[in-house]
Structures are given as C-alpha cells and as structure tokens.
Amino acid sequence: MNGKGAFIAFEGIDGSGKSTLVRLTYEMLSRRGLQAVRTKEPSSGPIGRFIRAQIGEMDGRMSAWALALLFAADRLDHAERLIRPSLERGLIVLSDRYLYSSLAYQGAEGVSWEWIRELNRLAPKPDLCILLDVSPETGMRRIGGRPKTIFENERLQERVRRLYLELVEEGEIIRVDAERPLKEVQRDVNLLVQELLKGRGIIDSKSQ
Ligand code: TMP
C-alpha cells in the first residue's frame, strides 16, 4: 500500500494472542509519539456484525462459500470506511485479522484461494502481515476450551494453521513463534514493525 501511513495485519489461529499483540504494538507506537488506529475483522460495521451473529451460531451453519463472500464484502467496506481514510491521514493501521484469515479459514473448508483472492482483489494489501504461530492445542487452551465460533475445533484449527504456514512459505506473511513467553514474542513483533517503519521513513533509520 502506497501513501504516508502503514498498514499492518496480525494473523493466527484462535487463541494465538493477536489482540494482545495489537494492543502492545499500539502502546509501543504511542510511546514513540506515532499515531495508530486499532481495528479488527470481522469489522464493527453492519456486515461484520451480521457475520459475528452467523459464526456464533453452532447449528445450521452457513456455507463456507457464502461466508467467503461475506468476509470479502466486510473487508471492502472496512477498507473504504476505515483503512484507506486512516492511511491517507498518515496513521498506522493495526488490524487484528485480514485477507489471510479468509485464505486460511475458508480455504480450510475447501474454498479455492484463487476465488478468495479474486473476491478481495480491490482490498488494499498490507505493508506487513505477522503470523502469530501457535499449535492448535495451545490456541484451544488459551481460549479456555470453550468454542465461541463454528471455527474453534482442533481439527479445523490444524488445517487453518497449515494454510497460514503455506502463506509464510510463499513469502506473503511473516511467522513469529508465539509459543514463547510474551516478552520474546513482543520483541520480535516490535523489530518487524520498526523495520517496516524505518523502511517507509516513518521513524529514523538509526533509532532503536
Ligand atoms: P475473532 O474475533 O475471535 O478473531 O473471531 C473471528 C472468527 O472469524 C475467527 O474464528 C476467524 C474467522 N474469520 C474467517 O473465517 N475468515 C475471515 O476472513 C475473518 C476475517 C475471520
């Protein structure tokens, strides 16, 4: 994404620590005097709210193809409503989940990547996407073993993780081992974010 701001997405299976790392990154940026905005998908907009109701419904679940369409619609709305305007104002956008969640989750249910990519063609590409990688056992333990969405079962999470790791191999997203203590994960995430911001001239290339 070109422009003055920077767009960073955080990905991972359920219970990988995304919301914590988004918060810590936001705090790190604020301490440096940089303005950031925290957001997530499904978004807080009308389509995002509709999706949340659907994925919390354990019976009569919606088709994975229909969900892929809804997530893409939510993403395009989210991009137009919040992501693009924030980047144009020079802000750093931190998103808890983005396109790669669709590739991993709907992909794990058999939807082709080619089709998902086509649906999301107009969504802005993040400057950096960090995968917080944990095993499904760790993820399920961290969410307390109580599934809140149709996706939170260990077999599906294993397939989702495998697809995320394929995206890492393809060089689209960067893996951080999130099984380690939070301090270490945070240090690696900070380094990646600072590297990006230096590369974009948002922070001084000599600063720590
Ligand atoms: P979360 O708010 O706990 O992350 O829940 C959102 C759920 O939605 C999570 O299980 C992943 C799923 N999801 C998809 O399946 N596809 C997507 O494109 C997105 C953004 C989320």
Side-chain angles (χ1 to χ4, degrees):
M1 178 89 198
N2 289 317
K4 293 171 287 174
F7 179 19
I8 305 171
F10 291 76
E11 291 280 357
I13 62 170
D14 298 275
S16 54
K18 294 178 302 301
S19 53
T20 305
L21 266 304
V22 166
R23 178 174 52 78
L24 292 171
T25 304
Y26 179 86
E27 288 168 4
M28 180 273 288
L29 294 171
S30 302
R31 276 197 303 279
R32 294 180 143 249
L34 296 168
Q35 266 195 304
V37 40
R38 280 187 282 183
T39 187
K40 69 183 299 180
E41 288 191 359
S43 78
S44 57
I47 309 167
R49 290 200 302 275
F50 177 72
I51 294 174
R52 285 206 186 273
Q54 299 303 314
I55 62 178
E57 193 57 65
M58 302 295 168
D59 307 322
R61 51 185 296 175
M62 197 180 253
S63 112
W65 283 261
L67 277 175
L69 285 163
L70 286 172
F71 280 117
D74 182 42
R75 189 158 299 124
L76 294 181
D77 181 52
H78 184 204
E80 202 167 315
R81 219 166 11 85
L82 187 134
I83 301 173
R84 281 205 179 89
S86 302
L87 293 172
E88 275 156 20
R89 287 173 53 210
L91 302 181
I92 299 164
V93 177
L94 306 175
S95 185
D96 177 339
R97 298 196 179 281
Y98 196 61
L99 163 67
Y100 314 96
S101 285
S102 288
L103 295 170
Y105 283 77
Q106 280 61 63
E109 297 204 290
V111 184
S112 85
W113 275 8
E114 197 189 349
W115 190 59
I116 296 171
R117 286 192 195 280
E118 179 56 26
L119 296 178
N120 288 276
R121 195 162 46 85
L122 300 181
K125 208 174 164 322
D127 299 297
L128 170 67
C129 176
I130 298 174
L131 170 67
L132 298 169
D133 186 40
V134 295
S135 70
E137 302 85 74
T138 300
M140 292 301 281
R141 186 166 27 81
R142 288 189 188 162
I143 61 170
R146 281 185 311 278
K148 287 184 293 301
T149 72
I150 53 173
F151 303 117
E152 291 169 1
N153 71 76
E154 225 167 286
R155 272 215 349 259
L156 181 64
Q157 296 286 315
E158 186 58 63
R159 290 208 298 275
V160 170
R161 184 192 193 192
R162 230 174 299 136
L163 290 177
Y164 272 136
L165 292 174
E166 252 179 64
L167 290 166
V168 172
E169 299 240 310
E170 291 186 4
E172 267 194 80
I173 64 180
I174 298 180
R175 175 180 180 271
V176 167
D177 177 358
E179 292 276 346
R180 295 170 304 156
L182 182 59
K183 277 261 169 291
E184 289 175 35
V185 179
Q186 189 185 356
R187 188 200 54 210
D188 286 4
V189 167
N190 283 352
L191 285 174
L192 288 168
V193 170
Q194 285 164 13
E195 187 85 353
L196 169 75
L197 300 182
K198 283 177 188 170
R200 294 180 68 81
I202 295 173
I203 59 177
D204 193 316
S205 61
K206 286 188 245 17
S207 73
Q208 291 293 307

